[in-house]
Amino acid sequence: MSAISQRRIPREQDIGFIVRRLLPVQGLRSVGPFVFLDHMGPAFFVAGGTAGDVRAHPHVGLATVTYLSQGAMVHRDSLGSVQRIEPGAINLMVAGRGIVHSERVPADIRAANVAVEGLQMWLALPQEQEQCTPAFYHYPAADLPQCDIAGGSVQLLIGRAFGMVSPVLTFAHTLYAAWQLSAGGILPLPQDVTERALYLIEGSAEVDGEAVVAGELVLLSSGAQKLCASSAVRGVVFGGAALDAPRYLDWNFVASNRERLAAARDDWRAGRFVMVPGESEFIPLPE
């Protein structure tokens, strides 16, 4: 049995900087509770510019998970949260029945010509929590457990794995770990996960003898055991319990029924969302 059940190469989009869309893609709509994955950058932004800034926009029915490997971003939301995101930290924003946020490149990062790179993921909330009260949580890198493995290290971002437990809030069984290996290093793949995927950010590796290259998302079969680094390599492994029902995505909204998506579009068009304090710019509803 093959260790890899699907392979996907991302779609690239230029939104002022390069973003690679890994989820959803044709034939692969979710992995566990994860329904969206973008690899942002690495990108450099000029001092005084606005490229890289994401104006205020809404979400419903999901939780956003932001993780940076380089640079920094500043998060602001309609709850009044203001949080600088730096490498190794986790930002968890629970949209529930509705939240608005912006993400901007800090002036010092622009001035110092520091690259910004990271992953943004969306978790579909369980059906009974799709309309929950919005919330925001920040977990500094120092609060997230790490351990050494053969030829490298693992940082556990969400869930239980590698003998560690992350403090990050979960809504269903969820796994998310970032790792790096030198050539010849070995990553044992967590086994008690219903759906698992691996994204190689850089380098090359093999999963039970099957080659994986940088920029490739692979859906792991139930029998996949370990990753062996062919070169210096870094990436993430993620997944969890299968969704409790199909999910529909429309722009920045996720829901288990299309009526909720239509209502969210109407609410944003009509200006019924609470806006981000101090933000005058926003992204209009795409028609």
Side-chain angles (χ1 to χ4, degrees):
M1 178 181 178
S2 173
I4 296 172
S5 59
Q6 290 191 48
R7 296 175 182 266
R8 292 290 182 270
I9 298 297
R11 306 191 309 271
E12 287 196 354
Q13 295 177 290
D14 189 343
I15 58 172
F17 60 101
I18 295 298
V19 173
R20 300 167 187 83
R21 178 68 45 84
L22 278 305
L23 278 179
V25 293
Q26 186 174 8
L28 186 60
R29 309 302 297 175
S30 62
V31 179
F34 293 92
V35 294
F36 180 93
L37 167 56
D38 267 0
H39 178 187
M40 310 173 290
F44 297 89
F45 303 103
V46 300
T50 59
D53 288 351
V54 182
R55 294 167 292 158
H57 58 282
H59 291 289
V60 301
L62 58 90
T64 65
V65 180
T66 305
Y67 177 79
L68 298 182
S69 53
Q70 301 184 69
M73 297 288 286
V74 174
H75 162 98
R76 292 181 174 86
D77 65 41
S78 50
L79 303 177
S81 312
V82 179
Q83 179 63 58
R84 184 181 173 105
I85 315 167
E86 296 189 326
I90 284 286
N91 251 32
L92 179 71
M93 185 185 74
V94 183
R97 60 176 176 262
I99 199 168
V100 180
H101 77 136
S102 66
E103 295 161 301
R104 296 184 181 274
V105 180
D108 63 305
I109 295 297
R110 293 179 182 276
N113 198 35
V114 174
V116 178
E117 181 182 23
L119 302 178
Q120 179 147 100
M121 307 175 91
W122 296 355
L123 296 165
L125 295 174
Q127 291 183 88
E128 68 272 13
Q129 293 177 282
E130 283 183 300
Q131 297 290 304
C132 71
T133 301
F136 175 77
Y137 305 91
H138 178 74
Y139 303 87
D143 291 352
L144 301 174
Q146 301 188 58
C147 71
D148 293 331
I149 54 176
S153 62
V154 176
Q155 182 186 27
L156 183 63
L157 306 177
I158 304 178
R160 295 172 175 265
F162 307 102
M164 302 181 290
V165 180
S166 167
V168 175
L169 176 69
T170 57
F171 308 92
H173 185 203
T174 306
L175 166 70
Y176 186 18
W179 47 268
Q180 54 187 2
L181 298 169
S182 56
I186 296 175
L187 175 76
L189 298 170
Q191 297 299 302
D192 58 341
V193 186
T194 304
E195 298 179 359
R196 300 175 295 170
L198 184 79
Y199 176 53
L200 216 59
I201 296 172
E202 63 181 19
S204 59
E206 293 184 349
V207 176
D208 294 352
E210 299 182 47
V212 183
V213 298
E216 188 174 27
L217 175 71
V218 297
L219 187 65
L220 301 173
S221 69
S222 59
Q225 296 293 315
K226 64 182 179 180
L227 176 142
C228 298
S230 305
S231 65
V233 64
R234 65 186 176 100
V236 295
V237 60
F238 64 95
L243 293 173
D244 54 4
R247 289 301 191 277
Y248 305 104
L249 277 68
D250 185 346
W251 191 38
N252 298 315
F253 309 129
V254 173
S256 56
N257 67 79
R258 296 185 187 277
E259 292 75 15
R260 177 63 187 122
L261 296 179
R265 290 180 65 89
D266 288 344
D267 288 343
W268 184 245
R269 184 186 292 111
R272 288 189 285 265
F273 277 84
V274 176
M275 298 302 287
V276 179
E279 287 274 9
S280 58
E281 298 180 309
F282 63 91
I283 301 176
L285 181 74
E287 298 295 345

